[in-house]
Amino acid sequence: MKIRCLKSDLVKGVSIVSKAVPTKTTMPILECILIDATTDIIKLTANDMELGIETVIRGQIDEKGMIALDARIFSDIVRKLPDNEIVIESGVNFQTLITCEKAKFNISGKSGEDFSYLPYIERENPVSISQFNKLMTGELFDMNGDILKVVSLDGHRISIRKIELKESYEPKKIVVPGKTLIEVSKILSGEADSEVRLYFTANH
C-alpha cells in the first residue's frame, strides 16, 4: 500500500477515529487504526467492539492495500510531522514507512485482514435531525410519526427532549449507549443547519 495525503486531513481523520480506540484490551489489533486503501477512497477505522468509528480522508492512492498501525504511535508521529504532504507506504512483513519532507519514520504494522470490521448497515430510510441537538447522555430514541423523543435518566432524574422531524416515521424505540452519543456529539459540528442521519438494523 502507498498513499499520499496532507497532514491537516490525516490529523483530522486520526483524531476522529481515535475516540474508538480502547485504552485497555486483550486484543492488540484493537489498539490499532486501520488504513484501508483497497478501493478508490482512503478510510480510517477504529473499533473497541462497543463503539466503532470510520471516516474517509482526502488523498491519493499510488498502490492499493491496507495496514493496521498502533494508534498511539501513529497519532504521535502524524502530529509531529511538518504541515505538508505525508506519504505512507507499507511493505514486507507489514513494515510501514511514513515520510514528510525530510522526516522519516519506520514502524511495524499488523495485517489489516485481522482487524474487526464495523458491521454493515443498510442505508435505507434514515432519520434526519439537526446536528444542533446536543445528545450527550440520552439513551432511548422513541420515534413516532414526526416526533422523536430522546429520554435519559441517571437513577434520580429523567430528561426528555422532543424533536420535531421533517418527515413521518413508523414507531420505533432504540436504546443507544451514552458513550456512543458523547463521542458522536464531539465529532459533529453542531450547526443548526447541518443534519445527521441515523440508520438502524435489528442489532445496530
Side-chain angles (χ1 to χ4, degrees), residues 23-36:
T23 52
K24 292 182 179 179
T25 179
T26 56
M27 300 171 63
I29 192 67
L30 296 184
E31 296 176 338
C32 296
I33 290 174
L34 177 69
I35 304 175
D36 186 344

Side-chain angles (χ1 to χ4, degrees), residues 151-169:
V151 184
S152 64
L153 50 89
D154 63 4
H156 301 284
R157 295 162 296 180
I158 184 169
S159 173
I160 302 176
R161 175 162 187 164
K162 285 188 177 181
I163 302 165
E164 189 171 344
L165 304 172
K166 293 181 179 179
E167 297 181 29
S168 185
Y169 299 92

